[in-house]
Amino acid sequence: MSLISYLTTIRFQAGALSDVGNDLRELGIRMPLIVTDAGISRVGLVDRLISVLSAGQHIPVFAGTPTNPTESAVMAALDLYCSHGCDGLIAIGGGSPIDLAKGVALLSTHDGPLEQYAAILGGIPKISAAVAPLIAIPTTAGTGSEVGRAALITLEDGRKLGFISPHLIPKRAICDPDLTLGLPPALTAATGMDAITHCIETFLSPHFNPPAEAIALDGLVRGVGNIERAVAQGADRTARHEMMMAALEGGLTFQKGLGAVHALSHPLGGLKQVSLHHGTLNAVLLPYVLEFNRSHAEAKYATLRQRLGLNDSVDLADYVRSLNLRLGMPATLAEMGVPRDSFALIAKSATEDHSSATNPRPAGEADYRAILEAAYEGIPVKPGA
Ligand SMILES: [Zn+2]
């Protein structure tokens, strides 16, 4: 069966932030909790948001979102939500505050513990429409979480699990490309490569969903065509606009499922001993997974080459490697400081990740191990791995 599910309400426009008061009214939210992180708070975006929202009303702010959202941070934000009598949320920031706000929206209306709602533990049907309303305002162009049905949250025991439900899709996404104008080059590159990876992995997913594939291809062309300009010239409004649309389109295609890149980057992002950026991990892993999948997606690789204007002799993995190099991304997991002694655990977790099932080539523990080793050393994935 094909499950094709649209639409989310999205405001996409430079300056869209100033209309967020209308969204609150339309959704009937009287007291929102703002969820963000320290960096976003520091650059004044939360103050700007509050100034367009309130006439003297005190609006609570949770700014303690970690790089990778954790269960304990969800519980801390939930305390603030309850103590202020909140009835909805506004998440402003990258994917982490948006995912964390989804966790709060869930637990404010569903009994704990959080773990029981994890997708791989059979939690999807336990998440009802009672989830509190959430308005998502992305300040990076990458995650797509503003229109996505998943939240990735690290539990107390270190497992980074996906919480997935159509009810977790934010009720509104406010996509204001001007909010990304100040994003530093390294973060622009990492988050942009996340968006590009979403478009590629969802396109390669074997699920039958032609509308989502068309969106993924459009997002890919915009992303690849503008990421270098957005990195080199951060104030270029056209490049920022195109990158935000690429990220949004990547998110709109999540319903097809991702693949082995995300099956690996999710557990890697949950490692406690080192803090690894999701987008950077995806950028580094993507060429190796493209090598691994090549034999199982030849026709789609031809479509990707054609849409990117590449001739038949171009190897997509090499193409992404050169793009990473031009963007200043690390070339290997070793360069990122990924601990090699984690590979057995990561390979096992990858097979259990919800993204693994939609990789075009079935991947088991030994396959994931081979991809990790290759990406660590910067060598080709061993054929037949
Ligand atoms: Zn991602």
Side-chain angles (χ1 to χ4, degrees), residues 166-220:
H167 303 303
L168 290 178
I169 298 173
K171 297 287 180 288
R172 293 286 158 93
I174 313 290
C175 297
D176 181 345
D178 279 1
L179 300 182
T180 65
L181 287 171
L183 205 61
L187 206 50
T188 302
T191 50
M193 284 307 295
D194 187 26
I196 286 169
T197 306
H198 295 156
C199 293
I200 293 177
E201 288 216 288
T202 51
F203 177 70
L204 295 176
S205 146
H207 282 185
F208 181 71
N209 188 333
E213 288 188 3
I215 292 171
L217 288 173
D218 190 79
L220 176 66

Side-chain angles (χ1 to χ4, degrees), residues 317-331:
D318 287 341
Y319 177 77
V320 174
R321 263 188 206 103
S322 324
L323 178 60
N324 279 340
L325 191 68
R326 295 199 298 278
L327 293 171
M329 303 300 293

Side-chain angles (χ1 to χ4, degrees), residues 142-143 194 198 254 258 262 265-266 278 282:
T143 161
D194 187 26
H198 295 156
F254 283 156
L258 291 159
H262 277 78
S265 68
H266 289 153
H278 175 72
N282 290 339

Side-chain angles (χ1 to χ4, degrees), residues 10 33 51-52 90 122 217 298 313 331 364:
I10 301 155
L33 172 69
S51 73
V52 299
I90 302 175
L217 288 173
E298 280 175 7
S313 64

